[in-house]
């Protein structure tokens, strides 16, 4: 595949619309796995997803042109899965399993299109929401975030000449390659690309994926981006996300069902998947609360993805819990994925080496590390913390707490209710950068 000259591509194109999302496969693999579960078990549930900009100092509606945003969202709604993509999903082996997606689900997916959206401006921010059946709105999360982030990057680079852009991308490439050189010193390290949601651009994410494939070889285990995995003959990686327990908790009719919600979704997940897909995401309402009340069978699962606790502290707590439950941590897997940079990856790897199996999902610091690369300072090239979360399920408010209180989302009164119900043990407040 010939390499794209990204700087020239940014500067020279004259199309009326340069689409950011060109395929429905340009999404994270866990969205398709969760989608099949939602389609099978929860087809009648309504769920609203809402854009949340945690970096309040960045006024997105003043950086991004509203009409450009509408044009990109409208274009995404025209997309359908292609025959080539459907054949690949049906025939490929994922996590060692053939036909992980049922023929009935794929037949439904072949006709899928993204539903309508609602867009408004308020106080310098965009209010972007997707309302409707959960089985449809869930698929907006990743393309919406990719569109917002790339439009912001494009806005920041408007007016830069071709040589300035050359310097910008040359410095970003050199920075990326220096990270590769650091990581290749640890041949047993396992890293995958988790950078779709807050990437600088699709072309840049593709460059980073290809660089990792060449640079660290077998240590690069795949990409969460399904399109890039298909195009680069890589493993598509990912399991499940916070929206599952968030919806289950929102639908709970009493305290007993609320307490059971995090484990009910694991039971549902186990109906469809097994083996290396049995990964627990424990922090939706706090890891300590999850471990405190977890049924014994949770300890038999393959591993955990501690997503919002400090990686070493969070990993130690899970290892201690495994030991308490009579499990050998050396046979278990920890997947670290929250705001990782090279130093954090290496420090965490060295800390746990030989004590547990490890994998690292490398996100924003992989695919959107441009700060300081331009010849002049451009604030719009600094990544921001932006998410698209479930805000309602069947008209009831949805909440995420996490182990970092600054990452909590939801109606403030409901957040307070959840905090009282689940507790705040081991919560650690950390600045949210990405």
């Amino acid at each position: 595949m010939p390499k794209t000259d990204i700087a020239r591509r940014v500067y020279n194109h004259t199309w009326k619309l340069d689409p950011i999302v060109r395929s429905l496969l340009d999404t994270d693999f866990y969205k398709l796995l969760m989608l099949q579960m939602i389609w099978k078990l929860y087809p009648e549930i309504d769920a609203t997803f809402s854009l949340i900009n945690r970096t309040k100092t960045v006024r997105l509606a003043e950086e991004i042109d509203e009409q450009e945003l509408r044009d990109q969202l409208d274009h995404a709604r025209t997309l359908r899965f292609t025959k080539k993509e459907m054949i690949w999903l049906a025939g490929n082996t994922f996590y060692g399993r053939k036909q992980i997606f049922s023929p009935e689900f794929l037949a439904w997916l072949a006709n899928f299109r993204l539903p309508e959206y609602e867009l408004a401006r308020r106080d310098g921010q965009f209010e972007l929401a997707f309302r409707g059946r959960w089985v449809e709105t869930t698929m907006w999360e990743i393309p919406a975030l990719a569109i917002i982030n790339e439009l912001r990057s494009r806005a920041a680079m408007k007016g830069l000449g071709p040589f300035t852009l050359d310097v910008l991308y040359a410095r970003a490439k050199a920075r990326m390659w220096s990270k590769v050189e650091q990581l290749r010193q640890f041949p047993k390290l396992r890293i995958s690309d988790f950078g779709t949601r807050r990437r600088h651009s699709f072309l840049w994410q593709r460059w980073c994926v290809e660089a990792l494939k060449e640079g660290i070889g077998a240590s690069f285990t795949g990409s969460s981006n399904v399109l890039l995995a298909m195009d680069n003959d890589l493993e598509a990686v990912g399991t499940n996300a916070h929206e599952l327990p968030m919806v289950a908790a929102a639908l709970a009719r009493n305290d007993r069902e609320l307490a059971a919600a995090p484990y009910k979704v694991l039971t549902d997940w186990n109906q469809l998947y097994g083996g290396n897909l049995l990964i627990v995401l424990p922090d939706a309402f706090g890891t300590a609360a999850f471990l405190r009340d977890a049924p014994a069978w949770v300890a038999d699962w393959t591993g955990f993805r501690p997503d919002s606790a400090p990686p070493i502290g969070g990993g130690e707590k899970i290892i201690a819990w495994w030991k308490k439950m009579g499990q050998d941590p050396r046979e278990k897997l920890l997947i670290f994925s929250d705001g990782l940079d090279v130093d954090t990856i290496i420090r965490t790897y060295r800390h746990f080496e030989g004590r547990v199996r490890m994998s690292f999902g490398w996100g924003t610091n992989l695919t959107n590390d441009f700060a300081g690369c331009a010849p002049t300072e451009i604030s719009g090239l600094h990544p921001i913390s932006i998410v698209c979360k479930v805000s309602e399920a069947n008209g009831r408010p949805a909440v995420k707490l996490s182990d970092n209180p600054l990452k909590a989302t939801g109606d403030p009164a409901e957040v307070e209710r959840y905090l009282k119900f689940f507790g705040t043990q081991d919560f650690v407040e950390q600045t949210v950068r990405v």
Side-chain angles (χ1 to χ4, degrees):
M1 178 187 299
K3 297 293 186 291
T4 302
D5 185 333
I6 302 176
R8 290 296 184 270
R9 170 70 156 62
V10 169
Y11 185 77
N12 287 330
H13 84 77
T14 57
W15 310 302
K16 182 177 180 181
L17 177 70
D18 183 9
I20 291 172
V21 176
R22 299 180 177 219
S23 166
L24 289 177
L25 276 192
D26 185 10
T27 192
D28 282 338
F29 188 53
Y30 70 22
K31 297 304 295 190
L32 295 180
L33 293 173
M34 291 192 299
L35 182 64
Q36 179 169 233
M37 178 176 136
I38 297 164
W39 169 84
K40 185 177 180 63
L41 301 179
Y42 302 103
E44 303 300 320
I45 299 297
D46 288 337
T48 298
F49 282 73
S50 301
L51 184 73
I52 302 169
N53 178 13
R54 296 187 183 119
T55 311
K56 302 296 185 184
T57 55
V58 172
R59 298 168 69 85
L60 285 173
E62 296 175 1
E63 293 192 6
I64 296 171
D65 181 83
E66 181 179 342
Q67 189 57 53
E68 289 184 9
L69 175 54
R70 289 185 182 277
D71 289 344
Q72 293 290 345
L73 295 170
D74 289 341
H75 173 77
R77 294 197 66 231
T78 69
L79 298 174
R80 304 290 186 277
F81 288 98
T82 67
K83 288 184 178 179
K84 172 188 173 182
E85 292 167 347
M86 297 304 300
I87 291 170
W88 184 79
L89 287 173
N92 198 45
T93 299
F94 300 99
Y95 284 87
R97 289 181 53 182
K98 293 182 179 180
Q99 296 181 327
I100 200 169
F101 300 111
S102 74
E104 296 81 8
F105 171 69
L106 292 176
W108 174 84
L109 193 66
N111 297 310
F112 179 83
R113 63 175 292 181
L114 291 167
E116 295 181 356
Y117 62 88
E118 299 174 9
L119 178 64
R121 298 160 62 111
R122 179 177 295 178
D123 298 329
Q125 301 292 350
F126 286 118
E127 293 186 343
L128 179 60
F130 311 97
R131 304 180 195 277
R133 287 286 189 253
W134 187 15
V135 75
E136 295 177 345
T137 57
T138 183
M139 287 294 283
W140 259 122
E141 177 188 358
I142 306 303
L145 291 172
I147 287 169
I148 290 282
N149 279 285
E150 185 160 349
L151 283 177
R152 184 168 179 264
S153 297
R154 292 182 182 185
M157 295 186 296
K158 279 182 179 177
L160 298 184
F163 291 96
T164 304
L165 285 168
D166 267 338
V167 171
L168 171 69
Y169 282 103
R171 289 176 175 174
K173 288 178 178 180
R175 178 182 290 177
M176 168 61 191
W177 196 252
S178 72
K179 298 175 184 179
V180 168
E181 291 174 330
Q182 287 179 268
L183 294 170
R184 63 164 43 139
Q185 304 304 311
F186 303 88
K188 293 184 180 180
L189 195 59
R190 295 294 176 261
I191 293 178
S192 55
D193 157 44
F194 274 23
T196 301
R197 295 186 302 158
R198 288 188 284 269
R199 67 194 181 196
H200 169 80
S201 71
F202 172 77
L203 291 177
W204 181 249
Q205 184 183 15
R206 187 176 73 181
W207 190 92
C208 292
V209 164
E210 292 171 352
L212 282 175
K213 185 178 180 180
E214 177 179 324
I216 63 175
S219 292
F220 184 47
T221 58
S223 174
S224 67
N225 186 290
V226 190
L227 180 62
L228 291 175
M230 181 181 76
D231 288 346
N232 290 279
D233 195 25
L234 294 166
E235 291 289 335
V237 295
T239 52
N240 53 70
H242 295 108
E243 70 181 86
L244 298 182
M246 289 174 69
V247 170
L251 298 177
R253 296 166 294 184
N254 50 53
D255 286 352
R256 179 181 59 80
E257 291 186 359
L258 178 58
Y263 316 109
K264 180 182 185 302
V265 295
L266 298 184
T267 302
D268 293 342
W269 186 261
N270 199 25
Q271 289 185 42
L272 276 74
Y273 309 114
N276 288 333
L277 283 168
L278 295 183
I279 302 296
V280 178
L281 181 61
D283 70 320
F285 312 120
T287 298
F290 180 92
L291 296 177
R292 179 190 66 217
D293 299 328
W297 52 263
V298 174
D300 295 327
W301 277 39
T302 302
F304 275 64
R305 179 164 72 92
D307 185 59
S308 58
I312 290 177
E316 287 289 359
K317 289 180 176 66
I318 292 168
I319 286 176
W321 182 79
W322 274 326
K323 289 180 177 179
K324 176 183 173 183
M325 302 301 289
Q327 301 285 335
D328 183 353
R330 292 172 298 179
E331 298 177 356
K332 297 295 185 179
L333 175 66
L334 285 177
I335 301 174
F336 299 99
S337 62
D338 183 41
L340 300 177
D341 56 26
V342 168
D343 291 340
T344 305
I345 291 171
I346 292 174
R347 184 169 60 251
T348 304
Y349 175 77
R350 283 174 164 165
H351 181 87
F352 289 112
E353 186 178 11
R355 299 173 57 204
V356 66
R357 295 161 53 215
M358 281 177 284
S359 179
F360 295 85
W362 197 8
T364 308
N365 188 256
L366 167 66
T367 61
N368 199 353
D369 188 10
F370 279 75
C373 288
T376 56
E377 181 63 20
I378 301 175
S379 62
L381 292 177
H382 291 251
I384 61 175
S385 182
I386 183 171
V387 294
C388 186
K389 291 291 185 185
V390 179
S391 54
E392 289 184 351
N394 279 358
R396 304 178 67 177
V399 167
K400 177 196 169 196
L401 297 181
S402 100
D403 290 317
N404 179 358
L406 296 183
K407 297 180 78 173
T409 64
D411 175 79
E414 280 296 285
V415 169
E416 187 62 28
R417 181 171 77 89
Y418 276 57
L419 287 170
K420 290 179 180 178
F421 185 83
F422 289 101
T424 60
Q425 182 182 345
D426 295 338
F427 280 19
V428 178
E429 188 170 303
Q430 304 173 88
T431 301
V432 181
R433 294 186 175 87
V434 295

